[in-house]
């Protein structure tokens, strides 16, 4: 008899453990490497395995280094010091330009006087009374123009430069009268050089106060620094050393010029760099015009 063989039913085996390996590549995160699901479906754990390589952090962009504009010679002092550097650059001693950065102001003035003396003693300097008179006439026209503009203008910038003590118009008027009465010389009309410069000053005064004031200061500066030396030397040679009113001031000329310089420096603090650059160009023009007027002495 065939025997029935009962097989004992097997207990259902527990669900197999599920091992799932998930690899996810990303440059800034760790790798999720192992996920285990236990019997109890409610109890699930997530195990993270950090990769052995360190996390890479992006570097912040480098800041660009701030570039500062190189200052003009004398800019740290004021606009008049910049103008002085321009004036000194125009000087020429024995064919070589002078570097004003290596000179003190007092030394520069002494060298300037020596240079003028040497030129006056040279063959190219043969002054005449007529030429000297032309120089004084043109100088009076220039000083009369700048002083009248400052006195009559409604521009508030010019108000700071009235009655500075540097005014030369009345002094030159007395000198011309002396020539007429004692030297028996007719007072000539201003030359084309003086007329052209006076007209240019009128135009500049209407267009831009800063440009006009660069001429205003340069004219006085050039006369005090070098012009008066020429006047004295010519007077010694032609007028027996008579001291003209043109080179006399009520007070120290350098102190009076210092007062004007300080006011102009304060005013210049409100000018843009572009305006200052234009003023420096006008300074060169001022010395060019004044140089042409000085040459009338020997023409």
């Amino acid at each position: 008899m065939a025997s029935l063989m009962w097989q004992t039913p097997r207990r259902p085996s527990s669900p197999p453990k599920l091992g799932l390996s998930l690899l996810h590549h990303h440059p800034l995160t760790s790798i999720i490497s192992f996920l285990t699901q236990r019997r109890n479906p409610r109890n699930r754990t997530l195990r993270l395995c950090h990769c052995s390589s360190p996390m890479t952090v992006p570097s912040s962009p480098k800041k660009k280094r701030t570039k500062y504009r190189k200052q003009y010679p004398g800019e740290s002092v004021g606009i008049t010091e910049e103008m002085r550097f321009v004036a000194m650059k125009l000087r020429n001693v024995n064919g070589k330009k002078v570097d004003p950065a290596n000179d003190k102001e007092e030394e520069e003035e002494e060298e300037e006087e020596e240079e003028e003396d040497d030129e006056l003693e040279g063959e190219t300097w043969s002054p005449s009374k007529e030429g000297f008179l032309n120089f004084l006439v043109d100088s009076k026209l220039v000083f009369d123009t700048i002083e009248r503009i400052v006195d009559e203008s409604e521009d508030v910038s010019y108000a700071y430069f009235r009655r500075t003590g540097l005014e030369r118009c009345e002094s030159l008027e007395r000198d011309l009268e002396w020539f007429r009465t004692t030297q028996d010389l007719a007072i000539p009309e201003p030359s084309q050089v003086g007329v052209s410069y006076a007209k240019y000053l009128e135009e500049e005064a209407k267009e831009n106060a800063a440009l006009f004031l660069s001429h205003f200061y340069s004219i006085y500066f050039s006369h005090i620094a070098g012009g008066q030396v020429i006047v004295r030397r010519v007077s010694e040679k032609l007028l027996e050393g008579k001291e003209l009113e043109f080179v006399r001031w009520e007070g120290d000329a350098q102190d009076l010029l210092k007062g004007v310089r300080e006011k102009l420096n304060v005013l210049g603090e409100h000018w843009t760099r572009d305006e200052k650059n234009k003023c420096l160009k006008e300074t060169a023009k001022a010395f060019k015009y004044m140089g042409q007027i000085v040459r009338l002495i020997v023409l």
Side-chain angles (χ1 to χ4, degrees):
M1 175 177 167
S3 61
L4 295 174
M5 298 190 59
W6 295 89
Q7 294 182 353
T8 304
R10 295 183 179 179
R11 295 178 60 185
S13 60
S14 59
K17 295 181 179 180
L18 178 62
L20 177 61
S21 180
L22 176 61
L23 186 63
H24 182 64
H25 296 282
H26 193 281
L28 301 179
T29 61
S30 302
I31 302 174
I32 301 177
S33 61
F34 191 75
L35 176 66
T36 304
Q37 179 179 350
R38 296 186 176 179
R39 292 181 181 179
N40 187 351
R42 297 180 181 177
N43 186 13
R44 296 176 181 173
T45 60
L46 182 65
R47 297 179 181 177
L48 299 178
C49 179
H50 295 281
C51 64
S52 59
S53 60
M55 183 182 297
T56 304
V57 180
S59 59
S60 58
K62 293 182 179 180
K63 294 183 179 180
K64 292 184 178 180
R65 184 175 297 178
T66 304
K67 293 183 178 179
Y68 296 96
R69 177 181 59 82
K70 183 179 180 181
Q71 285 192 331
Y72 284 72
E75 183 177 359
S76 59
V77 178
I79 184 60
T80 60
E81 185 69 3
E82 293 187 54
M83 294 164 65
R84 188 178 73 89
F85 270 80
V86 171
M88 299 309 298
K89 189 176 181 180
L90 295 175
R91 291 179 55 203
N92 192 296
V93 181
N94 296 327
K96 294 182 179 180
K97 289 187 177 180
V98 175
D99 181 7
N102 297 328
D103 295 339
K104 293 182 179 179
E105 186 170 357
E106 293 80 4
E107 294 175 350
E108 289 169 346
E109 292 174 0
E110 291 177 0
E111 291 176 3
E112 199 166 83
E113 291 181 4
E114 293 176 359
E115 178 188 352
E116 300 294 350
D117 291 349
D118 292 340
E119 289 180 347
L120 289 170
E121 293 173 358
E123 295 181 358
T124 58
W125 277 90
S126 298
S128 64
K129 287 185 180 180
E130 292 76 11
F132 191 41
L133 193 57
N134 288 331
F135 161 75
L136 294 175
V137 169
D138 275 28
S139 295
K140 181 181 180 300
L141 176 60
V142 171
F143 280 101
D144 179 66
T145 300
I146 62 175
E147 290 166 12
R148 175 176 49 80
I149 290 173
V150 167
D151 287 338
E152 298 178 358
S153 177
E154 297 181 356
D155 193 315
V156 67
S157 300
Y158 299 150
Y160 300 102
F161 303 97
R162 295 169 184 163
R163 292 179 292 278
T164 63
L166 292 174
E167 290 78 13
R168 297 290 86 197
C169 185
E170 293 182 3
S171 298
L172 282 163
E173 181 68 35
R174 291 192 291 269
D175 286 335
L176 293 175
E177 179 64 17
W178 180 86
F179 268 91
R180 187 182 66 81
T181 57
T182 65
Q183 302 297 309
D184 195 25
L185 292 173
I187 307 302
E189 293 296 321
S191 71
Q192 185 60 38
V193 175
V195 172
S196 298
Y197 191 27
K199 182 179 179 181
Y200 184 78
L201 290 169
E202 295 273 7
E203 295 172 352
E204 289 293 276
K206 295 177 182 179
E207 180 181 347
N208 190 300
L211 301 184
F212 169 79
L213 288 174
S214 67
H215 284 268
F216 178 88
Y217 178 80
S218 297
I219 289 169
Y220 286 113
F221 175 82
S222 65
H223 178 55
I224 293 173
Q228 65 169 323
V229 179
I230 296 175
V231 173
R232 294 180 191 277
R233 292 291 293 171
V234 173
S235 180
E236 288 177 3
K237 194 167 187 177
L238 300 178
L239 307 175
E240 298 180 350
K242 174 180 173 54
E243 185 180 38
L244 298 180
E245 295 291 325
F246 191 22
V247 294
R248 295 177 62 185
W249 290 267
E250 294 183 3
D252 185 84
Q254 290 291 346
D255 290 340
L256 296 174
L257 184 64
K258 180 181 178 182
V260 173
R261 178 166 58 245
E262 291 174 349
K263 292 178 182 178
L264 189 56
N265 282 337
V266 172
L267 193 62
E269 293 177 358
H270 304 282
W271 298 344
T272 64
R273 185 64 254 176
D274 182 60
E275 286 179 314
K276 291 180 180 180
N277 290 343
K278 290 179 180 178
C279 286
L280 298 182
K281 292 181 180 179
E282 294 303 316
T283 298
K285 290 182 181 179
F287 279 89
K288 179 181 178 181
Y289 274 114
M290 295 303 290
Q292 291 174 347
I293 292 176
V294 168
R295 291 189 184 94
L296 292 174
I297 297 175
V298 296
L299 295 180

